[in-house]
Amino acid sequence: MTRGIAVLLTLCLVTAAAYFTASKWAIRHETLTFFDAARNRPVAVDIAVRRDKELQADAGLLELPVAVLNHGNTVRFTEYSFLANLFAARGYMAVSIQHDLDSDAPLMTKVGEPYVGRLPVYQRGIANIEFAVKKLAELQPNADYDHLTMVGHSNGGDISMYYAKLHPDRIKKVVTLDNLRVPFMIDGKFRILSFRSKDPVFKPDPGVVPDQEICDKAGITVVNTGFQHVEMSDRGPESVKASITSALDQFLDTEGAKPGRVKARQAPGSGPMAQVR
């Protein structure tokens, strides 16, 4: 039996099961570490993909959409599984990238410098994304690396928005969870969804979040929540993650729909956790 026939037979079996359940067993996670010799730096990625969709891509039957997940400061790349699993369940190849190493200098605020001194961190994140995408294209060529969905929390949200600023033609959508420094793109080239916290400590810089009129014109949906900034990862309460995934699921369902500001429910008992910026 040829490999192609074997793949298709396996595909039929897996597809039948996958479409009757959205349980996590249907999603494959794999963690890989690439080494960027040019920067003498390891780049770890966690891949989440639905097994049936991966088999279809392997057989050349479809091209996987790609979502790149970028973590917040002090949070690990593996701590956004609730988002990775949502994108994977919808047929994406979700790629979470570890941007920070223990040997990196701590994140510092330098008032008066671009993005309060965070620009080198964003540039490092862009280099990590470019390198990871290049390596993944060698492993899974049947994926759409030219129309990325960028997702990020806090500092990772700023990396996502900065990447979109540099490469707007390579962006399909941007989803941020309380990014604070990089202003939203407002030219309407792609849709933006942003969850905003109600946190007395973590406030966006002036001009980061556009006003309602600009959001309406530019295809930006802003979700004002009662959550704390640091709750928007796997460390947060289940109620917070459920609220975020519900709104994100709706956003992904309404491609081309009119954006607007909506209010997400506040998680009971939500409060501050570890520091994230």
Side-chain angles (χ1 to χ4, degrees):
M1 183 179 291
T2 65
R3 180 179 182 274
I5 294 175
V7 168
L8 289 175
L9 288 175
T10 305
L11 169 63
C12 292
L13 294 173
V14 176
T15 301
Y19 279 110
F20 283 100
T21 178
S23 60
K24 292 181 180 179
W25 69 261
I27 297 173
R28 183 180 72 83
H29 281 266
E30 181 179 12
T31 300
L32 303 170
T33 300
F34 304 119
F35 188 78
D36 186 347
R39 295 186 298 150
N40 192 33
R41 184 181 185 88
V43 179
V45 301
D46 183 79
I47 301 167
V49 62
R50 241 173 66 178
R51 297 175 187 273
D52 62 319
K53 295 297 184 181
E54 184 178 35
L55 284 169
Q56 291 179 53
D58 289 343
L61 301 177
L62 60 76
E63 191 175 52
L64 292 167
V66 178
V68 177
L69 279 60
N70 303 290
H71 62 85
N73 182 43
T74 75
V75 186
R76 295 283 296 172
F77 70 124
T78 52
E79 293 186 87
Y80 295 89
S81 64
F82 77 106
L83 294 175
N85 286 332
L86 172 61
F87 277 102
R90 281 185 157 269
Y92 287 74
M93 181 172 70
V95 180
S96 302
I97 302 176
Q98 179 64 38
H99 290 297
D100 304 333
L101 303 178
D102 292 340
S103 56
D104 291 336
L107 200 63
M108 301 295 292
T109 298
K110 299 178 182 178
V111 178
E113 294 190 13
Y115 309 114
V116 296
R118 307 291 170 81
L119 183 56
V121 176
Y122 304 156
Q123 291 170 332
R124 183 179 68 210
I126 301 305
N128 289 337
I129 294 169
E130 294 284 82
F131 179 73
V133 165
K134 179 180 177 181
K135 300 300 290 185
L136 288 169
E138 297 173 2
L139 298 176
Q140 177 49 274
N142 295 320
D144 186 1
Y145 302 103
D146 294 324
H147 304 91
L148 301 171
T149 294
M150 301 298 299
V151 186
H153 173 216
S154 191
N155 189 64
D158 288 318
I159 291 173
S160 298
M161 199 66 72
Y162 192 71
Y163 187 96
K165 177 183 177 69
L166 295 181
H167 306 289
D169 295 334
R170 296 183 63 186
I171 297 299
K172 180 72 173 179
K173 294 179 285 290
V174 175
V175 179
T176 72
L177 296 91
D178 225 27
N179 66 302
L180 304 177
R181 311 297 180 184
V182 180
F184 291 13
M185 298 287 289
I186 59 173
D187 55 13
K189 286 189 175 181
F190 46 80
R191 298 176 70 212
I192 296 174
L193 170 66
S194 184
F195 296 90
R196 313 308 307 176
S197 73
K198 187 177 182 181
D199 194 310
V201 176
F202 297 95
K203 298 291 186 180
D205 290 344
V208 169
V209 183
D211 61 29
Q212 179 65 62
E213 183 178 357
I214 293 176
C215 285
D216 289 342
K217 291 179 179 179
I220 299 170
T221 299
V222 175
V223 180
N224 292 307
T225 78
F227 310 148
Q228 296 297 298
H229 175 86
V230 298
E231 292 179 323
M232 298 178 176
S233 71
D234 285 350
R235 301 178 187 181
E238 291 300 321
S239 52
V240 169
K241 291 181 282 186
S243 181
I244 291 172
T245 53
S246 177
L248 176 55
D249 208 36
Q250 183 180 17
F251 174 77
L252 296 175
D253 264 339
T254 55
E255 192 73 34
K258 184 178 179 181
R261 289 181 183 265
V262 296
K263 179 99 172 164
R265 61 183 176 83
Q266 182 172 1
S270 59
M273 299 170 66
Q275 184 178 13
V276 185
R277 289 192 297 275

